[in-house]
């Protein structure tokens, strides 16, 4: 269950190594999933209007939240392709992380609206109609949202995008909550109308749990944090390069869906400038090959301390 709700943010076997290809995959995933979520939301809006189901309304609001955040995500991917400028010398890929905060705000807003509508329904119960249509919409919504979630999360893992993974997690909670809507319909059929708004509150709790998990990764990246084991992989990969005596210090950070690293590498004291340049290039190439999502690595060579 933890792996389903909080998937890993990177996968070594699926990593895309070029920034241009990664951006293209992210944009394509956003557009395709936007179409899928839009179709699901339109169907659910019609059924909510007919039935008055609060649980289905909660699920629909969640779907509309996707539509509100996918366009800024596409803009961020396109902005990240722009070349660095004198003012933004590291480029514009951090726009993707900022959109991750927007996604979190929309998820939080949808949770608040769900709680509001659910409490209103508990205090002034409303009759549900067209229960068969509500059940059908819930099942179709669950299937459609899960397909979109798998596609987004897989694409996000391939390119290392925390924002795209957050959107996928958002879609996965929709799939789970659509199944919860079906439980509300069964409760109404059993003569228990309070089940529907209670399910709405359960949905809100699930949304908040996913929000916390998603924003933990986004905020860590904005604070230049990396996943456990990232620096170990960078250091061991650089140290395995012939001519490197040791790696004295390594730093890494995410910029959008690409990693940037800086390494202090100890080499022989009598190494020529030309040989040092070739060695630094060899370290960079090995890192790009073996470290997923790495965009660039700055290598600082220093003479190793003389022995006793």
């Amino acid at each position: 269950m933890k792996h389903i709700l909080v998937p890993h943010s990177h996968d070594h076997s699926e990593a895309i190594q070029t920034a241009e290809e990664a951006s293209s995959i992210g944009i394509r995933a956003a557009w395709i999933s936007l179409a899928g979520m839009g179709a699901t939301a339109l169907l659910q809006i019609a059924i909510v209007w007919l039935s008055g189901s609060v649980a289905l309304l909660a699920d629909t609001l969640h779907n509309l939240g996707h539509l509100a955040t996918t366009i800024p995500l596409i803009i961020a991917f396109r902005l990240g392709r722009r070349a660095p400028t004198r003012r933004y010398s590291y480029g514009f890929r951090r726009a993707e992380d900022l959109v991750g905060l927007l996604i979190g705000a929309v998820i939080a807003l949808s949770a608040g609206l769900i709680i509001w509508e659910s409490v209103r329904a508990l205090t002034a119960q409303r009759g549900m109609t067209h229960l068969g249509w509500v059940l059908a919409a819930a099942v179709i919504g669950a299937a459609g949202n899960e397909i979109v979630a798998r596609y987004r999360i897989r694409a996000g893992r391939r390119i290392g995008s925390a924002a795209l993974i957050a959107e996928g997690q958002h879609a996965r909670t929709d799939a789970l909550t659509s199944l919860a809507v079906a439980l509300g319909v069964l409760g109404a059929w059993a003569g228990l109308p309070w089940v529907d708004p209670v399910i709405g509150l359960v949905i809100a709790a699930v949304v908040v749990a996913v929000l916390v998990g998603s924003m933990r990764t986004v905020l860590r990246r904005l604070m230049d944090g990396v996943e456990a084991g990232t620096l170990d992989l960078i250091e061991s990969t650089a140290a395995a390069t012939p001519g490197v005596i040791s790696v004295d210090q390594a730093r890494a950070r995410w910029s959008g869906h690409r990693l940037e690293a800086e390494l202090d590498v100890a080499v022989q004291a009598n190494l020529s400038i030309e040989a040092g340049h070739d060695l630094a290039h060899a370290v960079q190439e090995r890192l790009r090959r073996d470290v997923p999502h790495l965009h660039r690595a700055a290598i600082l060579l220093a003479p190793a301390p003389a022995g006793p």
Side-chain angles (χ1 to χ4, degrees):
M1 179 62 71
K2 179 180 179 181
H3 179 76
I4 290 175
L5 292 178
V6 188
H8 300 301
S9 59
H10 61 279
D11 189 304
H12 292 188
S13 64
E14 298 180 339
I16 301 298
Q17 296 294 345
T18 64
E20 188 67 21
E21 184 181 1
S23 295
S24 297
I25 289 174
I27 293 171
R28 183 168 62 249
W31 276 118
I32 292 175
S33 58
L34 178 65
M37 297 298 295
T40 302
L42 288 175
L43 171 65
Q44 290 182 322
I45 287 172
I47 303 302
V48 167
W49 182 75
L50 288 172
S51 67
S53 169
V54 175
L56 187 59
L57 173 63
D59 200 16
T60 305
L61 289 173
H62 210 180
N63 276 331
L64 292 175
H66 288 297
L67 303 181
T69 55
T70 301
I71 295 299
L73 184 59
I74 293 172
I75 294 173
F77 277 126
R78 292 193 177 279
L79 189 60
R81 287 176 161 181
R82 292 182 57 183
T85 65
R86 295 287 293 179
R87 182 179 292 274
Y88 297 98
S89 57
Y90 285 97
F92 298 87
R93 286 191 298 271
R94 276 289 175 88
E96 186 180 326
D97 299 317
L98 294 178
V99 170
L101 292 180
L102 173 63
I103 293 170
V106 171
I107 296 175
L109 177 61
S110 67
L113 290 174
I114 291 167
I115 293 172
W116 172 262
E117 289 296 331
S118 298
V119 172
R120 285 183 59 193
L122 280 173
T123 56
Q125 291 184 0
R126 295 173 289 187
M128 286 178 58
T129 60
H130 301 79
L131 296 182
W133 283 105
V134 174
L135 182 61
V139 173
I140 294 173
N145 287 323
E146 179 60 21
I147 290 172
V148 169
R150 286 175 179 265
Y151 181 59
R152 279 181 170 176
I153 290 173
R154 181 176 176 81
R157 291 174 64 188
R158 291 184 70 196
I159 68 175
S161 172
L164 188 55
I165 290 173
E167 281 282 73
Q169 292 171 337
H170 196 181
R172 176 152 285 164
T173 61
D174 277 342
L176 296 175
T177 54
S178 292
L179 295 178
V181 171
L183 294 178
V185 172
L186 296 178
W189 269 333
L192 302 173
W194 54 266
V195 171
D196 182 64
V198 168
I199 292 296
L201 292 174
V202 173
I203 291 173
V206 173
V207 171
V208 171
V210 172
L211 172 64
V212 172
S214 301
M215 290 304 98
R216 183 181 294 117
T217 300
V218 172
L219 291 175
R220 181 174 63 229
R221 291 193 176 187
L222 284 171
M223 292 294 294
D224 287 340
V226 294
E227 291 77 8
T230 299
L231 285 184
D232 293 334
L233 176 61
I234 291 173
E235 291 170 344
S236 61
T237 300
T241 306
V244 172
I245 296 176
S246 65
V247 178
D248 296 332
Q249 187 178 22
R251 295 166 295 279
R253 66 177 184 176
W254 285 95
S255 179
H257 54 268
R258 306 303 293 174
L259 272 171
E260 297 180 350
E262 300 176 7
L263 294 89
D264 295 342
V265 174
V267 298
Q268 292 180 354
N270 60 352
L271 201 65
S272 67
I273 294 178
E274 182 178 357
H277 177 271
D278 292 341
L279 178 56
H281 180 72
V283 173
Q284 290 174 339
E285 289 302 309
R286 184 180 287 257
L287 287 171
R288 287 197 184 98
R289 186 187 67 214
D290 295 343
V291 179
H293 315 301
L294 183 68
H295 177 63
R296 70 178 188 89
I299 312 298
L300 176 62
L301 302 182

